[in-house]
């Protein structure tokens, strides 16, 4: 790994444009889907479809399990004042979200996402109240993904270190990234992460982590980047992915940077 990077450095001093063009540009992940458009809403199936329509790399969404073990797609741990993990699904199944859709189950979301062959599904498993609940959530969610033959279509993220370790323990070759931002790259690698997925302010505070992560073979995503200056900073640092509420703006900026070297 080190000798390869030294070789690339030497080549870059001689043929800088060639090296820049050979690198893959930063990819765009739509935060909670592409929801900032007519008819859409955060974590809606429509937002998932719109993310595919604009050719985003991925669509991020959030999952919790109900009292009776049904995974549903919603950002907060509550909806309409009901704590999801302590509420049976029958009391949630008719709730409407902001665009009029019914609260999606994970099964419905995955079945729709499976139709979008070029869109990765970035599945965030939300922290639950106990490790037993988190263990149950991981088992139910990963079993559903496997039953739909979507293991290569889904990437996992979580703020819970316990959930990350459970994902590492029971999945095979899954892409798993930690969100909390309190682990240096080496520590994240040691618990089995394949990537870092840290808030932009964490990477700006620890820019050395970007290089360290690359040396360790970890991917680097950053969230939730909506400011053009921060987007440019991350593009310049060559992070692998940027999660944003403004995917079209980010796509345009990435294209402008790529076009400089054509």
């Amino acid at each position: 790994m080190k000798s390869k990077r030294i070789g690339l450095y030497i080549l870059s001093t001689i043929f800088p444009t060639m090296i820049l063009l050979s690198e893959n540009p930063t990819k765009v992940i739509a935060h909670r889907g592409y929801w900032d458009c007519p008819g859409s809403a955060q974590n809606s199936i429509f937002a998932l479809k719109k993310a595919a329509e604009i050719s985003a790399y991925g669509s991020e969404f959030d999952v919790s399990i109900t009292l009776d073990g049904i995974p549903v797609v919603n950002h907060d741990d509550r909806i309409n004042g009901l704590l999801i993990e302590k509420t049976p699904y029958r009391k949630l199944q008719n709730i409407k979200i902001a665009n009029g859709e019914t609260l999606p189950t994970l099964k419905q979301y995955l079945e729709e996402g499976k139709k979008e062959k070029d869109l990765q599904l970035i599945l965030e498993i939300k922290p639950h109240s106990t490790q037993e609940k988190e263990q149950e959530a991981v088992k139910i969610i990963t079993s559903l993904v496997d039953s739909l033959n979507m293991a290569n279509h889904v990437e996992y993220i979580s703020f819970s270190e316990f959930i990350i370790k459970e994902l590492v323990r029971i999945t095979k070759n899954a892409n798993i990234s930690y969100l909390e931002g309190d682990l240096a790259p080496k520590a994240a690698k040691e618990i089995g992460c394949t990537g870092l997925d840290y808030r932009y302010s964490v990477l700006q505070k620890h820019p050395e982590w970007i290089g360290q992560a690359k040396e360790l073979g970890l991917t680097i995503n950053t969230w939730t980047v909506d400011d053009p200056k921060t987007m440019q900073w991350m593009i310049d640092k060559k992070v692998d992915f940027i999660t944003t509420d403004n995917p079209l703006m980010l796509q345009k900026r990435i294209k402008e940077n790529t076009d400089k070297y054509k």
Side-chain angles (χ1 to χ4, degrees), residues 128-147:
H128 290 64
S129 59
T130 66
Q131 289 189 349
E132 289 75 20
K133 278 283 187 183
E134 293 189 341
Q135 189 173 44
E136 180 187 12
V138 171
K139 181 179 179 181
I140 290 170
I141 290 166
T142 56
S143 293
L144 180 56
V145 169
D146 289 342
S147 72

Side-chain angles (χ1 to χ4, degrees), residues 48-118:
L48 171 69
K49 293 178 180 178
K50 293 299 286 186
E53 186 178 303
I54 64 170
S55 300
Y57 167 83
S59 185
E60 184 267 353
F61 60 103
D62 310 276
V63 180
S64 300
I65 59 168
T66 64
L67 180 64
D68 46 350
I70 304 298
V72 296
V73 178
N74 191 64
H75 177 262
D76 296 338
D77 60 359
R78 295 176 183 268
I79 186 167
N80 285 12
L82 299 170
L83 185 62
I84 292 172
E85 71 170 88
K86 293 188 176 181
T87 305
Y89 176 65
R90 61 182 172 79
K91 291 189 175 181
L92 303 174
Q93 62 183 349
N94 295 319
I95 290 176
K96 302 295 183 183
I97 59 175
N99 69 339
E101 287 183 23
T102 302
L103 176 71
T105 64
L106 176 60
K107 186 173 188 291
Q108 292 166 339
Y109 206 89
L110 291 175
E111 287 175 339
E112 193 61 45
K114 192 173 184 179
K115 300 173 185 176
E116 308 296 348
K117 303 298 184 183
D118 296 324

Side-chain angles (χ1 to χ4, degrees), residues 42-253:
Q42 295 184 8
N43 278 315
S44 65
I45 288 177
F46 187 83
L48 171 69
K49 293 178 180 178
K50 293 299 286 186
E53 186 178 303
I54 64 170
S55 300
Y57 167 83
S59 185
E60 184 267 353
F61 60 103
D62 310 276
V63 180
S64 300
I65 59 168
T66 64
L67 180 64
D68 46 350
I70 304 298
V72 296
V73 178
N74 191 64
H75 177 262
D76 296 338
D77 60 359
R78 295 176 183 268
I79 186 167
N80 285 12
L82 299 170
L83 185 62
I84 292 172
E85 71 170 88
K86 293 188 176 181
T87 305
Y89 176 65
R90 61 182 172 79
K91 291 189 175 181
L92 303 174
Q93 62 183 349
N94 295 319
I95 290 176
K96 302 295 183 183
I97 59 175
N99 69 339
E101 287 183 23
T102 302
L103 176 71
T105 64
L106 176 60
K107 186 173 188 291
Q108 292 166 339
Y109 206 89
L110 291 175
E111 287 175 339
E112 193 61 45
K114 192 173 184 179
K115 300 173 185 176
E116 308 296 348
K117 303 298 184 183
D118 296 324
L119 182 74
Q120 286 295 98
L121 305 183
I122 314 301
L123 194 165
E124 179 180 343
I125 303 180
K126 305 299 285 189
H128 290 64
S129 59
T130 66
Q131 289 189 349
E132 289 75 20
K133 278 283 187 183
E134 293 189 341
Q135 189 173 44
E136 180 187 12
V138 171
K139 181 179 179 181
I140 290 170
I141 290 166
T142 56
S143 293
L144 180 56
V145 169
D146 289 342
S147 72
L148 293 170
N149 296 314
M150 293 185 69
N152 294 329
H153 206 160
V154 173
E155 303 177 20
Y156 297 101
I157 58 177
S158 185
F159 281 97
S160 165
E161 187 173 336
F162 180 80
I163 286 175
I164 294 293
K165 290 176 179 177
E166 278 297 291
L167 286 165
V168 170
R169 186 177 70 85
I170 70 172
T171 62
K172 293 181 179 179
N173 302 317
N175 290 321
I176 302 167
S177 296
Y178 183 51
L179 290 166
E180 185 62 37
D182 59 343
L183 294 180
K186 184 179 179 182
K189 178 81 170 182
E190 287 172 351
I191 65 170
C193 290
T194 62
L196 304 181
D197 193 344
Y198 287 174
R199 181 174 169 81
Y200 65 88
S201 57
V202 173
L203 294 182
Q204 288 180 325
K205 183 178 179 180
H206 298 285
E208 72 280 4
W209 284 4
I210 297 173
Q212 290 172 14
K214 289 183 178 183
E215 287 288 343
L216 291 165
L218 298 172
T219 58
I220 309 159
N221 183 32
T222 184
W223 56 269
T224 298
V225 183
D226 298 333
D227 171 65
K229 289 184 179 179
T230 308
M231 287 179 181
Q232 188 61 53
W233 192 90
M234 294 298 173
I235 292 167
D236 289 342
K237 294 295 183 181
K238 297 182 174 59
V239 301
D240 297 293
F241 311 100
I242 296 175
T243 298
T244 179
D245 290 323
N246 294 314
L248 292 180
M249 178 197 296
L250 178 56
Q251 285 177 329
K252 181 180 178 183
R253 186 161 287 267

